[in-house]
Amino acid sequence: MSKPEKIVAIKGMNDILPQDAPLWELFENTTETILKSYGYQKIVTPIVEETRLFSRAIGAVTDIVEKEMYSFEDSMNGDQLTLRPEGTASVVRAVLEHNLVYDGPRRLWYKGPMFRHERPQRGRYRQFFQFGAEAVGFSGPDIDAELIMMCRRLWDDLGIQNVRLELNSIGNAEERARHRTDLIAYLEKHEDILDAEAKRRLHSNPLRILDTKNPAMQEMVNGAPRLLDYLGEESLAHFNGVKNILDRAAVQYTVNPRLVRGLDYYNRTVFEWVTDELGSQGTICAGGRYDPLIETFGGKATPAVGFAMGMERIIELMKAMGEPAQPNQCDVYMVHQGEEARMQAFILAERIRDAGLDVVLHCATPAGAGSFKSQMKKADGSGAAFAVIIGEDEIANNVAAIKSMRGAAGEQQQTSVPFEEVVDHLVDQIISGGGHDHDHDHDHGHVHYHP
Ligand code: ATP
Ligand code: MG
């Protein structure tokens, strides 16, 4: 038989391996703790939705809907479906479907994988994870500032430096329409400088041209009419309101008049957290207000604002600062020799877990059950505080040997403990015992990295 061909993951879709899992967990735990401390509640929506949910919410002439969506027909019933490219549309659908704002506004958060058919490169994947927050039913600048300050707190708690906040207001639809007329006229005057992408966008989504990364267009774009100059009184007051709170809270930002968002539903406040440490994919969090969205879904007019963070980019930033200490695999490693010892170890392991400790039981591999020596090596590598050893002698005497794994090899102590006292003995040593370096809870405080 010829060797079967290997199957690998889909291009642009990544595995998160055990060695990186602690970093992801640290990020998720820290974020969830902070969100909770601001009163945000978790919401989970399906990964697959009707295609028209996204085309209506995100807008037909956006990058996402034009060319990035994983859309398909359900061959069982002909439904038009899409793997979600972002979280806001689904959250808003769920808010309306379950009438979540009937008794007042809501602060919500979500996390999970998103799918966009983009060209894979550093920091840009086809499956990527987002952590997002949505505040639905709030209209004032205070909630915009709160979202931004939550991010600030998160970077601080994670020890992330070198991120800056860019802020802008894109006004309301009328203000954008007046600006758009002037912008198109200006761009038409400079049509010779526009690249193909910009020419295509000229009449569909000219605002996006301001966002261009093409160096040949920078100077022209710098001289374009600024949307900020078209803001009316209310939009300006809102923008100033956000800036005032940030100033009072000593949150630094720069106003970037060319900052727009790729999604159609935004209005007024838009912001991005950007770093220079990640190459050209430097935006780690992006957000803004989307007051008009809920009405386009048939709901009654409800203001809303939110953000989404790109988790891979933040993890990469955290990696650049060094690895946080890898947690131990378990508290106790069970070593055993012989059939009856294996049975005892199995039962004892369950009882130790009942008491709240993490236990790894040595199990057979194709190489066999493993010699005593090789099992002790595994116990050592697991980071366990204690090995519980059961061999023929122990079975004969109804005891287990408990060996302390901490400290230098010569100092490691071993004691014999009757079976029925093993659980109490371990609990005593590990949870209430001397050094107390046991910590079942995750540390939500400031994180220390070991480069
Ligand atoms: P970009 O201009 O980089 O394409 P975007 O405007 O499409 O970003 P959003 O839809 O606002 O991005 O998504 C919010 C955040 O999610 C981004 O700031 C980024 O951190 C992350 N993100 C977006 N697309 C990807 C992707 N393909 N791979 C990894 N992270 C992504
Ligand atoms: Mg994009």
Side-chain angles (χ1 to χ4, degrees):
M1 200 181 86
S2 67
K3 229 178 163 189
E5 203 187 326
K6 269 194 194 144
I7 299 172
V8 297
I10 293 168
K11 197 173 159 211
M13 303 202 180
N14 303 312
D15 300 308
I16 298 167
L17 300 176
Q19 66 258 32
D20 283 342
L23 210 50
W24 283 77
E25 245 169 47
L26 174 65
F27 172 73
E28 291 177 55
N29 291 335
T30 310
T31 309
E32 286 172 26
T33 305
I34 291 175
L35 285 161
K36 194 165 168 288
S37 79
Y38 284 80
Y40 285 71
Q41 297 172 299
K42 182 176 184 170
I43 185 166
V44 181
T45 62
I47 285 171
V48 181
E49 300 265 6
E50 276 192 60
T51 297
R52 63 197 176 114
L53 174 76
F54 301 113
S55 41
R56 199 191 296 173
I58 299 170
V61 295
T62 54
D63 283 351
I64 292 180
V65 173
E66 272 184 343
K67 53 189 189 200
E68 295 174 359
M69 291 209 303
Y70 280 95
S71 298
F72 58 97
E73 187 180 291
D74 183 339
S75 61
M76 312 284 193
N77 59 13
D79 286 352
Q80 299 301 317
L81 305 177
T82 293
L83 300 183
R84 65 180 182 196
E86 56 101 54
T88 304
S90 308
V91 169
V92 166
R93 177 200 51 69
V95 163
L96 287 176
E97 190 169 331
H98 306 286
N99 212 6
L100 292 186
V101 286
Y102 79 101
D103 59 351
R106 283 268 187 174
R107 290 172 165 93
L108 301 167
W109 68 265
Y110 63 86
K111 67 173 175 185
M114 307 294 163
F115 303 85
R116 298 184 193 175
H117 204 282
E118 305 196 66
R119 190 171 67 77
Q121 53 193 291
R122 182 184 180 200
R124 192 175 290 287
Y125 310 105
R126 290 182 173 173
Q127 175 182 290
F128 59 98
F129 286 79
Q130 282 186 338
F131 225 112
E134 315 287 359
V136 185
F138 300 95
S139 53
D142 41 6
I143 197 86
D144 306 25
E146 177 180 283
L147 284 161
I148 289 170
M149 285 165 62
M150 261 178 356
C151 296
R152 170 84 275 162
R153 184 181 292 278
L154 177 61
W155 315 143
D156 285 348
D157 278 6
L158 290 174
I160 291 179
Q161 289 149 356
N162 304 327
V163 285
R164 59 177 190 276
L165 174 62
E166 300 202 348
L167 190 66
N168 193 20
S169 172
I170 57 170
N172 62 27
E174 271 166 56
E175 290 151 3
R176 279 201 302 280
R178 284 198 295 117
H179 168 257
R180 184 189 156 105
T181 312
D182 291 357
L183 178 63
I184 292 176
Y186 174 87
L187 293 170
E188 276 172 346
K189 263 197 312 193
H190 296 89
E191 202 153 1
D192 50 318
I193 306 172
L194 300 183
D195 59 18
E197 174 80 12
K199 283 194 177 121
R200 204 169 56 79
R201 289 256 180 263
L202 184 53
H203 294 280
S204 63
N205 199 349
L207 209 53
R208 270 309 279 233
I209 300 178
L210 299 180
D211 212 13
T212 181
K213 288 176 179 112
N214 182 349
M217 288 169 53
Q218 291 306 319
E219 202 181 321
M220 182 275 294
V221 150
N222 281 335
R226 290 165 16 132
L227 182 46
L228 265 183
D229 299 326
Y230 290 73
L231 297 192
E233 217 171 289
E234 279 183 38
S235 292
L236 266 182
H238 188 94
F239 191 41
N240 288 331
V242 177
K243 290 193 292 182
N244 286 341
I245 299 175
L246 295 180
D247 290 339
R248 275 294 282 275
V251 177
Q252 289 180 358
Y253 57 86
T254 45
V255 174
N256 175 358
R258 276 167 49 186
L259 182 67
V260 296
R261 304 287 317 121
L263 283 52
D264 259 6
Y265 50 63
Y266 284 99
N267 74 324
R268 291 195 174 168
T269 317
V270 293
F271 62 89
E272 284 190 359
W273 289 93
V274 189
T275 175
D276 294 323
E277 315 262 302
L278 296 176
S280 49
Q281 263 51 255
T283 303
I284 58 170
C285 175
R289 215 162 238 293
Y290 52 92
D291 298 333
L293 181 63
I294 291 179
E295 242 181 326
T296 68
F297 272 64
K300 78 170 197 284
T302 309
V305 54
F307 66 67
M309 302 185 276
M311 289 170 65
E312 283 81 359
R313 295 183 190 180
I314 295 172
I315 298 293
E316 210 189 320
L317 208 51
M318 290 166 72
K319 270 190 182 169
M321 298 183 308
E323 301 284 334
Q326 291 271 335
N328 295 326
Q329 193 190 351
C330 56
D331 303 311
V332 176
Y333 196 98
M334 304 285 293
V335 171
H336 50 86
Q337 267 321 233
E339 180 58 21
E340 183 51 28
R342 185 170 64 100
M343 287 299 182
Q344 275 293 350
F346 211 101
I347 302 306
L348 200 50
E350 287 299 313
R351 285 181 36 221
I352 302 170
R353 291 185 191 108
D354 288 342
L357 297 177
D358 299 341
V359 184
V360 170
L361 175 72
H362 189 87
C363 285
T365 66
S371 67
F372 175 73
K373 206 173 146 201
S374 75
Q375 291 193 34
M376 284 309 291
K377 248 188 163 161
K378 288 268 186 279
D380 210 31
S382 71
F386 290 93
V388 172
I389 303 159
I390 307 176
E392 276 166 25
D393 288 352
E394 281 75 21
I395 290 294
N397 296 313
N398 269 321
V399 296
I402 298 182
K403 184 177 182 189
S404 139
M405 304 297 287
R406 300 273 161 85
E411 296 161 20
Q412 291 177 349
Q413 291 179 358
Q414 187 168 321
T415 42
S416 280
V417 177
F419 279 140
E420 57 276 14
E421 289 170 27
V422 168
V423 175
D424 285 346
H425 182 90
L426 289 170
V427 166
D428 207 44
Q429 292 288 316
I430 296 176
I431 295 180
S432 24
H436 190 75
D437 55 353
H438 183 79
D439 184 8
H440 269 288
D441 297 322
H442 296 275
D443 181 9
H444 298 310
H446 292 250
V447 179
H448 302 285
Y449 295 91
H450 308 291

